[in-house]
C-alpha cells in the first residue's frame, strides 16, 4: 500500500502540471488581442484628433511656421500699420515666433528692418555717393540686415538723378541730401571749413575735393545723427561693406553693443577685394576673395610674402590700408578726414577690432578704370596726377585709362588687378594673406532672389521734394541755441564764438593731429628695414 501510494504521487503532480499548461496559452492570447487592439486604436484616435484640430485652424504646419511669408519682402513693410490683427496670416493663425505678414529674414527670426525700433545701439552710416541703384540698393539692404537703421546719403551725379533719388527717398531710414548751391554755401560757413586741420586738402581737384566733401558731409551728419537719436556713426563708401566677423548672429549691432562704454571709437581694418576674372558685373555677389589687412596678420607672414602679395604694384594694397572707423555719438565729436573721427575736447579712446573688417571692393570692374578718368580733369602726366590723387595706384590707373587703347587697358587691368595665377592664389590662401568670405555674397544674393531690390524700385513713391528736404536740412543744421556752456558744432559766426573756437583749438592742439588723416597705404618693407 505504501508502495502503491508512493507511486501515485508523481502521477498526480504530472496531471496538475498538464492542466496548468493547457490553460496558459488561452490567457496570453486574450491579453495579446487586447494589446493589439489598443495599439491600433491609439494612433488612429490621435491622427483623427490632429486632423480635426488642423481642419478647424488650431495647428500650424511646421514647414510654414519656420518659413517667411512668400508674398512679402524684407524692407517692404508699411510703418503706418501697427495693429496686431494685421500681423496674422491668412488663416488667422498666430505664429509662435511672431512671424508676421511683414517681411523678415528667416535666419533673423522676424527682423523686419524697422528703422524706428527700440533695439540698441542705433547705428547710422554716412556716405557721399554718385553710384546708381545697382550698387546702392544691395549696399543699403545688406547693412540693414546686419543692424544699421539709418543712412545719410549725400548724393550727386547718377545718385542725384530723379529716377535714382526717388527710389532712395522711398526706403525707410534713408535720408537723401542733394549737393546744391544752398548746401555748399551752408557748409562754407561750417566750423571745420574755417579750421586749419583740413586746409591742406582745400582747392585741389578730384580725390582731394572728394575728401573735403566727405569731411564736410560727416560734420553735418553728426548733427543729423544726434537729432535722430543715433548711438554710433560710421562713414563708408558705397563700394565698402562692414564685415562683423566675430559677432554673434553676424550682427554689427551686437558687435557694437559689446564695446565697453569708455570706448569712443572703433577701427575696422579694411580688406581689399582680389577679383579672379576681368568680367565682373556685380562685385557684391561675384567677388569672395579678399586680401587681409596688415593689422590682421602676423608681421612675419605679412613681410615674408610682401613681394608676392604686391605683384609689382606700388604697394601691398592697391589703394588705402588704414581702415574705417565707427564713432560713438557724443559732445564735441568731429570728423578727422574720411577714415577717422576726433573730438575737440579730448583724445578719443580708440580700439581696433581683431576680427571684424571693412570689405573694400577695389577696382572690381574693368569699367572702374575709365570711370575715374571721366571724373577727373587732370593731365595724364606723373606730375599733374599728384594734384588729383593721393595714392600711387590711382595715379597709374588714371594715366593708363587716359593714354592707352581699350586692348592695352584690358591687358594692364589683368596684370595689375585680376588674380589669374591659381597657384599663387592657393599659396597665399594657405599663408593667410588671402581669405575667402562668402557671407555678404550670400546675404545680398538672398535679397536679390527674394525680389527685394526689384520691389523697392517698382513701389517707389516720391516721399519728399528737394525743396522741402533742403529747408528741413537748413533748419536742423543752421546755427541754433545751445545749452549754456556748450559750444555749437555747426556754425561759428560771431566774434565771441570765433574767440571761443580758437581757445578750444589751442587747448586741444596737443590732442589733435596736425592734419586730417588721409587714405594711407599699408606698411612697406623699406619703412621697417626688413628684408626677405
Amino acid at each position: 500500500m505504501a508502495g502503491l501510494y508512493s507511486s501515485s504521487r508523481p502521477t498526480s503532480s504530472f496531471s496538475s502540471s498538464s492542466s496548468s499548461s493547457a490553460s496558459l496559452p488561452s490567457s496570453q492570447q486574450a491579453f495579446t488581442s487586447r494589446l493589439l487592439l489598443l495599439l491600433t486604436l491609439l494612433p488612429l484616435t490621435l491622427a483623427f484628433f490632429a486632423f480635426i484640430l488642423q481642419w478647424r485652424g488650431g495647428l500650424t504646419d511646421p514647414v510654414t511656421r519656420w518659413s517667411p511669408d512668400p508674398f512679402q519682402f524684407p524692407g517692404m513693410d508699411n510703418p503706418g500699420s501697427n495693429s496686431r490683427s494685421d500681423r496674422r496670416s491668412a488663416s488667422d493663425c498666430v505664429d509662435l515666433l511672431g512671424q508676421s505678414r511683414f517681411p523678415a529674414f528667416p535666419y533673423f527670426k522676424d527682423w523686419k528692418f524697422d528703422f524706428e525700433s527700440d533695439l540698441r545701439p542705433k547705428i547710422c552710416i554716412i556716405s557721399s555717393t554718385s553710384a546708381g541703384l545697382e550698387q546702392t540698393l544691395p549696399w543699403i539692404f545688406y547693412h540693414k540686415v546686419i543692424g544699421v537703421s539709418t543712412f545719410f546719403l549725400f548724393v550727386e551725379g547718377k545718385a542725384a538723378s530723379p529716377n535714382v533719388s526717388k527710389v532712395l527717398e522711398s526706403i525707410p531710414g534713408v535720408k537723401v541730401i542733394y549737393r546744391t548751391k544752398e548746401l555748399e554755401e551752408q557748409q562754407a560757413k561750417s566750423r571745420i571749413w574755417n579750421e586749419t586741420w583740413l586746409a591742406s586738402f582745400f582747392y585741389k581737384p578730384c580725390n582731394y575735393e572728394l575728401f573735403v566733401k566727405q569731411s564736410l558731409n560727416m560734420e553735418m551728419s553728426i548733427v543729423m545723427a544726434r537729432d535722430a537719436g543715433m548711438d554710433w556713426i560710421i562713414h563708408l563708401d558705397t563700394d565698402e561693406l562692414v564685415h562683423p566677423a566675430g559677432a554673434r548672429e553676424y550682427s554689427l549691432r551686437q558687435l557694437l553693443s559689446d564695446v565697453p562704454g569708455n570706448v569712443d571709437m572703433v577701427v575696422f581694418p579694411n580688406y581689399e577685394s582680389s577679383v579672379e576674372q576681368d568680367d565682373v558685373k556685380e562685385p557684391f555677389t561675384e567677388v569672395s576673395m579678399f586680401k587681409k589687412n596688415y593689422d590682421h596678420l602676423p608681421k612675419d607672414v605679412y613681410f615674408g610674402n610682401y613681394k608676392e602679395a604686391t605683384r609689382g604694384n606700388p604697394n601691398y594694397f592697391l589703394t588705402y590700408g588704414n581702415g574705417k572707423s565707427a564713432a560713438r555719438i557724443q559732445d564735441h565729436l568731429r570728423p578727422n578726414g574720411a577714415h577717422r573721427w576726433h573730438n575737440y575736447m579730448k583724445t578719443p579712446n580708440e580700439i581696433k577690432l581683431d576680427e571684424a573688417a571693412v570689405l573694400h571692393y577695389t577696382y572690381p570692374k574693368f569699367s572702374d578704370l575709365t570711370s575715374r578718368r571721366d571724373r577727373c580733369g587732370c593731365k595724364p602726366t606723373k606730375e599733374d596726377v599728384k594734384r588729383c590723387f593721393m595714392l600711387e595706384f590711382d595715379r597709374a590707373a588714371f594715366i593708363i585709362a587716359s593714354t592707352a587703347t581699350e586692348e592695352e587697358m584690358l591687358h594692364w587691368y589683368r596684370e595689375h588687378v585680376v588674380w589669374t595665377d591659381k597657384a599663387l592664389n592657393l599659396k597665399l590662401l594657405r599663408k593667410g594673406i588671402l581669405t575667402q568670405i562668402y557671407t555678404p555674397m550670400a546675404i545680398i544674393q538672398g535679397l536679390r532672389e527674394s525680389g527685394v531690390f526689384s520691389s523697392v524700385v517698382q513701389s517707389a513713391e516720391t516721399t519728399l521734394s528737394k525743396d522741402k528736404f533742403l529747408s528741413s536740412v537748413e533748419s536742423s543744421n543752421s546755427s541754433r541755441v545751445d545749452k549754456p556752456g556748450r559750444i555749437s558744432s555747426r556754425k561759428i559766426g560771431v566774434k565771441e564764438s570765433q574767440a571761443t573756437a580758437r581757445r578750444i583749438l589751442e587747448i586741444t592742439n596737443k590732442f589733435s593731429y596736425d592734419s586730417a588723416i588721409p587714405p594711407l597705404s599699408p606698411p612697406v618693407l623699406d619703412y621697417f628695414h626688413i628684408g626677405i
Side-chain angles (χ1 to χ4, degrees):
M1 291 290 291
L4 181 61
Y5 176 76
S6 177
S7 66
S8 68
R9 290 183 63 85
T11 303
S12 174
S13 176
F14 175 78
S15 298
S16 174
S17 175
S18 299
S19 174
S20 174
S21 298
S23 63
L24 186 60
S26 173
S27 121
Q28 284 184 339
Q29 286 178 357
F31 175 76
T32 302
S33 299
R34 292 190 185 94
L35 181 61
L36 289 175
L37 180 61
L38 178 63
L39 292 176
T40 303
L41 291 177
L42 182 60
L44 290 175
T45 303
L46 292 175
F48 179 75
F49 181 66
F51 172 77
I52 293 298
L53 285 179
Q54 189 166 357
W55 176 68
R56 296 183 61 188
L59 289 180
T60 304
D61 180 55
V63 175
T64 58
R65 176 186 301 172
W66 293 92
S67 302
D69 191 334
F71 301 105
Q72 297 295 329
F73 304 95
M76 299 304 297
D77 54 319
N78 179 11
S81 178
N82 295 318
S83 73
R84 184 63 181 170
S85 61
D86 291 337
R87 303 189 178 192
R88 298 178 182 268
S89 64
S91 64
D92 203 36
C93 300
V94 180
D95 195 316
L96 294 177
L97 294 177
Q99 177 70 45
S100 70
R101 293 185 59 81
F102 291 102
F105 268 91
Y107 47 85
F108 278 114
K109 304 224 176 22
D110 211 22
W111 191 335
K112 299 180 285 296
F113 300 137
D114 184 1
F115 74 104
E116 293 181 342
S117 72
D118 293 329
L119 293 175
R120 291 285 182 174
K122 288 191 173 183
I123 307 165
C124 67
I125 288 179
I126 148 70
S127 185
S128 305
T129 183
S130 59
L133 293 176
E134 73 284 349
Q135 179 173 324
T136 310
L137 287 182
W139 179 83
I140 289 173
F141 280 94
Y142 167 82
H143 287 106
K144 279 179 172 283
V145 168
I146 64 173
V148 177
S149 60
T150 303
F151 300 80
F152 300 119
L153 299 185
F154 290 79
V155 298
E156 53 186 307
K158 186 188 294 185
S161 64
N163 290 340
V164 174
S165 60
K166 176 182 178 180
V167 175
L168 296 177
E169 287 181 343
S170 73
I171 303 173
V174 175
K175 192 84 165 177
V176 180
I177 305 98
Y178 301 89
R179 177 148 292 277
T180 63
K181 181 181 178 181
E182 291 79 9
L183 180 66
E184 291 180 349
E185 289 176 350
Q186 185 179 342
Q187 290 186 336
K189 301 174 184 177
S190 74
R191 181 171 183 171
I192 66 175
W193 180 262
N194 295 289
E195 294 172 348
T196 58
W197 58 270
L198 190 62
S200 62
F201 298 90
F202 289 166
Y203 308 115
K204 293 181 181 180
C206 205
N207 274 17
Y208 289 91
E209 180 183 7
L210 175 61
F211 188 78
V212 172
K213 285 180 182 178
Q214 289 173 330
S215 299
L216 292 168
N217 294 343
M218 290 166 71
E219 182 189 35
M220 179 177 285
S221 68
I222 292 171
V223 179
M224 300 170 71
R226 183 187 289 274
D227 291 344
M230 296 293 110
D231 299 301
W232 289 89
I233 185 168
I234 305 173
H235 174 260
L236 283 184
D237 297 324
T238 51
D239 62 353
E240 297 170 329
L241 300 178
V242 177
H243 174 54
R248 286 177 292 166
E249 300 178 346
Y250 199 72
S251 168
L252 178 61
R253 181 181 284 129
Q254 184 63 55
L255 184 72
L256 293 179
S257 69
D258 292 338
V259 173
N262 65 334
V263 173
D264 304 305
M265 190 164 66
V266 174
V267 177
F268 295 81
N270 63 295
Y271 291 6
E272 191 172 79
S273 63
S274 301
V275 298
E276 300 177 76
Q277 63 231 27
D278 59 20
D279 58 349
V280 172
K281 302 298 181 186
E282 297 176 350
F284 292 151
T285 54
E286 294 181 50
V287 178
S288 62
M289 190 165 73
F290 294 86
K291 190 187 292 186
K292 284 188 177 181
N293 194 286
Y294 166 79
D295 290 319
H296 283 183
L297 290 170
K299 288 185 179 180
D300 60 331
V301 173
Y302 177 84
F303 291 113
N305 298 275
Y306 184 89
K307 290 185 177 179
E308 286 182 296
T310 302
R311 302 190 309 146
N313 287 317
N315 203 279
Y316 174 80
F317 276 165
L318 301 183
T319 57
Y320 77 90
N322 53 328
K324 290 294 180 72
S325 62
R328 197 185 296 274
I329 300 294
Q330 55 186 292
D331 290 342
H332 314 298
L333 180 66
R334 72 159 171 87
N336 196 39
H339 296 259
R340 292 291 187 273
W341 305 86
H342 200 51
N343 193 292
Y344 282 111
M345 297 303 293
K346 66 177 181 178
T347 300
N349 184 15
E350 173 185 306
I351 63 171
K352 188 172 289 184
L353 299 173
D354 57 3
E355 289 186 79
V358 164
L359 306 180
H360 184 202
Y361 293 77
T362 313
Y363 289 92
K365 297 187 292 185
F366 175 61
S367 60
D368 290 336
L369 286 180
T370 55
S371 66
R372 281 169 172 78
R373 175 199 67 192
D374 297 338
R375 291 200 304 265
C376 296
C378 289
K379 296 177 183 178
T381 63
K382 290 185 178 180
E383 288 302 317
D384 202 53
V385 292
K386 292 179 181 179
R387 296 190 307 112
C388 287
F389 301 98
M390 303 179 197
L391 300 172
E392 285 293 333
F393 187 86
D394 288 330
R395 298 169 182 173
F398 179 82
I399 292 175
I400 288 294
S402 302
T403 60
T405 65
E406 187 83 7
E407 185 177 348
E408 290 171 336
M409 278 195 295
L410 184 58
H411 176 76
W412 186 90
Y413 182 76
R414 287 170 176 166
E415 184 178 352
H416 291 271
V417 180
V418 184
W419 290 71
T420 55
D421 189 337
K422 302 299 182 183
L424 176 62
N425 296 353
L426 183 59
K427 176 183 177 180
L428 295 181
L429 282 167
R430 288 173 174 170
K431 292 283 187 178
I433 296 285
L434 297 177
T435 184
Q436 294 281 0
I437 300 175
Y438 297 103
T439 309
M441 175 188 293
I443 290 174
I444 292 174
Q445 188 61 36
L447 287 164
R448 178 173 285 110
E449 292 175 356
S450 298
V452 174
F453 309 140
S454 58
S455 296
V456 170
V457 174
Q458 292 170 6
S459 63
E461 296 178 356
T462 303
T463 57
L464 197 61
S465 67
K466 283 188 182 182
D467 294 338
K468 185 177 179 182
F469 178 78
L470 288 171
S471 64
S472 66
V473 171
E474 180 70 25
S475 63
S476 64
N477 290 287
S478 59
S479 60
R480 18 178 224 181
V481 178
D482 291 302
K483 296 178 181 178
R486 177 178 163 188
I487 298 162
S488 171
S489 61
R490 285 296 314 134
K491 182 177 179 182
I492 308 297
V494 298
K495 292 183 179 179
E496 291 79 8
S497 296
Q498 289 175 344
T500 306
R502 283 196 295 272
R503 285 198 298 271
I504 288 179
L505 291 175
E506 289 170 2
I507 293 170
T508 61
N509 187 44
K510 62 181 178 180
F511 301 130
S512 302
Y513 296 98
D514 292 335
S515 182
I517 297 180
L520 299 174
S521 297
V524 297
L525 286 173
D526 294 340
Y527 180 79
F528 286 87
H529 305 288
I530 295 177
I532 56 174

